[in-house]
Amino acid sequence: MLVRRNATLFIVKKLEEPLAESAPLARRLALALCRRDPVTAESCAWTHGFWQYLRLMGLASGPTHHAEFFRTAFDGVTGDTGAPRVLVCGSADYSMLAHVLWAFRARAIEADVTVIDLCEAPLALSRWYAQRMGCRIRTACCDVLAYVAPHPFDAICTHSFLSYFSPDRRVDLLAKWRQLLRPGGAVITVNALRPGAAADRVGLNSAQARALREDVLARAQTMRSAVQLDPLELARDAEIYAGKLGFWRVQSGEEVRALFERSGFRMDRLICGPAAIASASQSAVTGPTSPVSTDYAHIVATRV
C-alpha cells in the first residue's frame, strides 16, 4: 500500500490496526465523548470504551475477519467524477476506515472518505487513525436516517450494521442508502446471519454472558503487557457489556436479497458462510459481533 506523508510515498505491506495503542485511547475518548441516550440518559461508553479491548483479545469480529472480501469488493469501486467518494456508515472504531484506505491505496488511489456515527467517540478515533495514516477524512455525528450529504457517494460500506435496525426500520435504512448513492453506486457490507424470531430485540443469555466474562478475564491475565489494565476491571466491563448488548436478527441470505432488491438495488454478490479468518477463541459467546460459530452474509449491491 502507498501512504503519503508530507508529500513522500511510503509502502505499507499490510493493513495497520494498532489495537494495543488505540484501545486505551478509545477508552479515554469514550469517557469524554460518548453520547447519552435521550430517553434513558445512559452513555454508550460501555461499548465504545471496551470494544477495542475485545478485538485486542481476539474476542470480537470485525472487518478484519472479512478483509479479502472487502478488498476485492472495493476493487470494483470507481469515482464517476474524480476520487471515489466512500461513506463509512456506522463506526465502532477505525477498522472499516482502515480497510477502505488499505484497499484504495493498494491501487494508488486516495479515496474521499466520510465517516458517520451517532457518537463522537468513534469519530474522534477515526480522525486519529486518519492522521496517523497521513490522510484527511470527513466525519459527521448524526443518525444516518437524518444525514444529508453534499454529494452522492460511489460506495457505502459498513460491518454488522443491519443488526442494529429492526426489520421494519431496515426498509428506511435501505431507502436512505439508495438516496445517498449515485446511480451505479454500491453498498458493500457484511452481516451475521442468525436464524430465529426476527421481531424481538435479543442479547446475550446468561451462559453467554458468563462465558464472555470468563474469556475476558483469562485473556487479560495472559495478555497483561498488551492490555495494560487490571484483568478484573476488564472482566467487570465484560459484565456490563454483556448486560447491555442487544440486536435484531438477520435471519438468512434470502431475507437479505429480498430486502435489497425490493429497495431498488441489484444484488451483485451475496456470499453466505463463515468469516474468512477464524477466531482463535473457543468462546461460547455468539453475540452479534462474535465470529464464533457464525455465518455471515457478504453483500455487494448496486443502486439501480
Side-chain angles (χ1 to χ4, degrees), residues 246-263:
F247 62 100
W248 283 271
R249 291 184 176 93
V250 176
Q251 297 172 295
S252 66
E254 291 77 11
E255 176 191 349
V256 169
R257 181 183 295 277
L259 172 65
F260 275 85
E261 290 183 347
R262 70 172 178 259
S263 299

Side-chain angles (χ1 to χ4, degrees), residues 16 27 46 69 76 84 86 95 102 107 112 134 148 169 175 180 186-187 193 217 228 259 271 274 285 288 302:
E16 180 184 0
R27 195 176 186 85
W46 62 271
F69 163 76
V86 179
S95 188
W102 182 45
R107 295 159 56 194
D112 181 354
V148 178
R169 294 292 280 168
L180 291 170
V187 171
L193 297 176
L217 182 59
Q228 297 185 19
L259 172 65
I271 304 169
V285 179
T302 298

Side-chain angles (χ1 to χ4, degrees), residues 150-171:
H151 304 287
F153 291 96
D154 299 296
I156 295 173
C157 60
T158 191
H159 185 277
S160 295
F161 199 61
L162 292 174
S163 293
Y164 293 95
F165 286 76
S166 62
D168 57 330
R169 294 292 280 168
R170 286 174 197 155
V171 176

Side-chain angles (χ1 to χ4, degrees), residues 273-295:
I277 301 176
S279 172
S281 171
Q282 298 300 315
S283 173
V285 179
T286 57
T289 53
S290 169
V292 180
S293 304
T294 303
D295 281 345

Side-chain angles (χ1 to χ4, degrees), residues 73-296:
F74 287 129
D75 279 349
V77 175
T78 58
D80 62 339
T81 59
R85 291 189 293 271
V86 179
L87 175 66
V88 177
C89 183
S91 177
D93 57 17
Y94 54 74
S95 188
M96 192 73 255
L97 169 64
H99 283 264
V100 171
L101 296 179
W102 182 45
F104 283 101
R105 285 177 166 182
R107 295 159 56 194
I109 295 172
E110 195 73 2
D112 181 354
V113 184
T114 299
V115 184
I116 65 172
D117 197 88
L118 275 173
C119 179
E120 181 60 34
L123 298 178
L125 193 63
S126 294
R127 291 192 295 270
W128 170 85
Y129 183 83
Q131 184 177 24
R132 180 186 179 96
M133 296 303 292
C135 70
R136 295 182 180 181
I137 61 170
R138 297 179 178 88
T139 61
C141 188
C142 65
D143 186 328
V144 60
L145 298 181
Y147 177 60
V148 178
H151 304 287
F153 291 96
D154 299 296
I156 295 173
C157 60
T158 191
H159 185 277
S160 295
F161 199 61
L162 292 174
S163 293
Y164 293 95
F165 286 76
S166 62
D168 57 330
R169 294 292 280 168
R170 286 174 197 155
V171 176
D172 297 330
L173 174 64
L174 269 288
K176 186 64 177 183
W177 279 351
R178 190 176 189 279
Q179 180 188 84
L180 291 170
L181 285 167
R182 65 168 174 83
V187 171
I188 298 169
T189 189
V190 171
N191 210 92
L193 297 176
R194 302 188 184 280
D200 297 328
R201 191 168 184 263
V202 296
L204 300 186
N205 61 36
S206 58
Q208 291 169 335
R210 286 194 302 272
L212 177 63
R213 185 191 185 282
E214 291 168 3
D215 283 352
V216 167
L217 182 59
R219 295 291 178 98
Q221 287 171 337
T222 60
M223 298 176 62
R224 282 177 179 268
S225 61
V227 299
Q228 297 185 19
L229 278 178
D230 182 349
L232 288 175
E233 182 177 353
L234 283 171
R236 287 191 293 270
D237 288 349
E239 291 176 359
I240 295 169
Y241 178 87
K244 293 181 180 293
L245 186 65
F247 62 100
W248 283 271
R249 291 184 176 93
V250 176
Q251 297 172 295
S252 66
E254 291 77 11
E255 176 191 349
V256 169
R257 181 183 295 277
L259 172 65
F260 275 85
E261 290 183 347
R262 70 172 178 259
S263 299
F265 288 86
R266 180 185 70 241
M267 188 62 73
D268 294 328
R269 194 182 313 175
L270 177 60
I271 304 169
C272 298
I277 301 176
S279 172
S281 171
Q282 298 300 315
S283 173
V285 179
T286 57
T289 53
S290 169
V292 180
S293 304
T294 303
D295 281 345
Y296 293 83

